[in-house]
Amino acid sequence: MDGTDIDDVPIRDDSIRLGQFLKLANLIDSGAEAKSVIADGLVSVNGDVETRRGRQLVSGDVVEIGGQAARVATE
């Protein structure tokens, strides 16, 4: 992720599903969009392509899509 700014996005609980986090972090516009970008392999978690929308993310995980990145943070 050279040169990519990473935004910390706080979550309320200990974990959050990937599809929910993409929307919370404003990396996508809708849940339907989450389904398609994840299925198409456009999303990576900690540098690895992730195709499971239900993947549980925890504090410190970094999600990247289209040159934008967000890190899961606790409140």
Side-chain angles (χ1 to χ4, degrees):
M1 284 190 303
D2 299 331
T4 302
D5 287 331
I6 300 175
D7 293 325
D8 283 327
V9 179
I11 61 171
R12 285 193 302 268
D13 301 312
D14 291 336
S15 65
I16 187 170
R17 289 196 303 272
L18 177 58
Q20 292 174 311
F21 183 76
L22 287 171
K23 188 153 177 11
L24 179 66
N26 293 316
L27 295 173
I28 54 154
D29 294 326
S30 69
E33 185 181 357
K35 185 176 183 177
S36 63
V37 296
I38 293 168
D40 290 345
L42 301 177
V43 178
S44 66
V45 177
N46 300 327
D48 296 319
V49 171
E50 180 56 72
T51 57
R52 297 170 297 164
R53 192 173 43 161
R55 157 88 184 254
Q56 291 291 324
L57 304 174
V58 295
S59 183
D61 283 342
V62 175
V63 176
E64 186 175 10
I65 177 173
Q68 294 180 285
R71 180 174 29 237
V72 180
T74 52
E75 283 189 327

